[in-house]
């Protein structure tokens, strides 16, 4: 497993932006997919975005397409989630996760991820 550390959450007004970071330690992200999931109070954890480390292919939840961008920095072994045009309904704890299952079928499903970060709070005020 790979150890993950998230950062970059905070409080922002609707329409604002935040960038989340997910840094790996213990091993690199090579041959992994890295995803961002989020969990709002009283709701189940849901997929937001994912990136295949080797190919750079990306996947997004429909409601964040065009507003969120997931990217990777090979040298820093870090994945970023740039969030623009934030809405109050984006408020949640955001989790970074890694999975060795790199097929498109798997990366949107949290059950296939075996490494999770501690989570970072994102709050969007109206």
């Amino acid at each position: 497993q790979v150890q993950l550390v998230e950062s970059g959450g905070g409080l922002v007004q609707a329409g604002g932006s935040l960038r989340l970071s997910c840094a790996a330690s213990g091993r690199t992200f090579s041959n992994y997919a890295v995803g961002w999931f989020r969990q709002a109070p009283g709701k189940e954890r849901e997929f937001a975005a994912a990136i295949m480390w080797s190919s750079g292919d990306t996947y997004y939840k429909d409601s964040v397409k065009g507003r969120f961008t997931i990217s990777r920095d090979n040298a820093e072994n870090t994945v970023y989630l740039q969030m623009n045009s934030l809405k109050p309904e984006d408020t949640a704890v955001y989790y970074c996760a890694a999975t060795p299952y790199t097929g498109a079928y798997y990366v949107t499903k949290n059950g296939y991820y075996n490494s999770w970060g501690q989570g970072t709070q994102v709050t969007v005020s109206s």
Side-chain angles (χ1 to χ4, degrees):
Q1 292 185 349
V2 58
Q3 284 73 50
L4 306 173
V5 178
E6 302 121 333
S7 60
L11 172 64
V12 65
Q13 290 187 334
S17 298
L18 283 173
R19 188 178 79 158
L20 306 183
S21 300
C22 174
S25 63
R27 59 158 295 159
T28 68
F29 281 131
S30 296
N31 301 316
Y32 274 69
V34 180
W36 286 97
F37 290 78
R38 64 186 186 181
Q39 188 166 18
K43 296 187 177 181
E44 293 187 353
R45 190 171 299 186
E46 65 175 11
F47 168 76
I51 187 167
M52 306 290 195
W53 188 262
S54 57
S55 67
D57 290 344
T58 58
Y59 303 86
Y60 296 96
K61 178 180 175 62
D62 285 347
S63 62
V64 308
K65 283 180 182 177
R67 300 189 298 122
F68 290 11
T69 302
I70 189 170
S71 62
R72 70 193 193 293
D73 185 322
N74 288 1
E76 296 294 329
N77 209 32
T78 299
V79 171
Y80 301 99
L81 185 67
Q82 178 67 43
M83 306 185 294
N84 299 328
S85 302
L86 283 161
K87 304 176 180 180
E89 51 264 42
D90 294 318
T91 295
V93 177
Y94 283 70
Y95 297 89
C96 171
T99 176
Y101 297 93
T102 55
Y105 172 81
Y106 303 106
V107 296
T108 62
K109 299 173 178 62
N110 60 9
Y112 289 99
Y113 286 77
N114 59 2
S115 298
W116 291 85
Q118 79 283 1
T120 185
Q121 177 70 47
V122 171
T123 303
V124 184
S125 63
S126 58

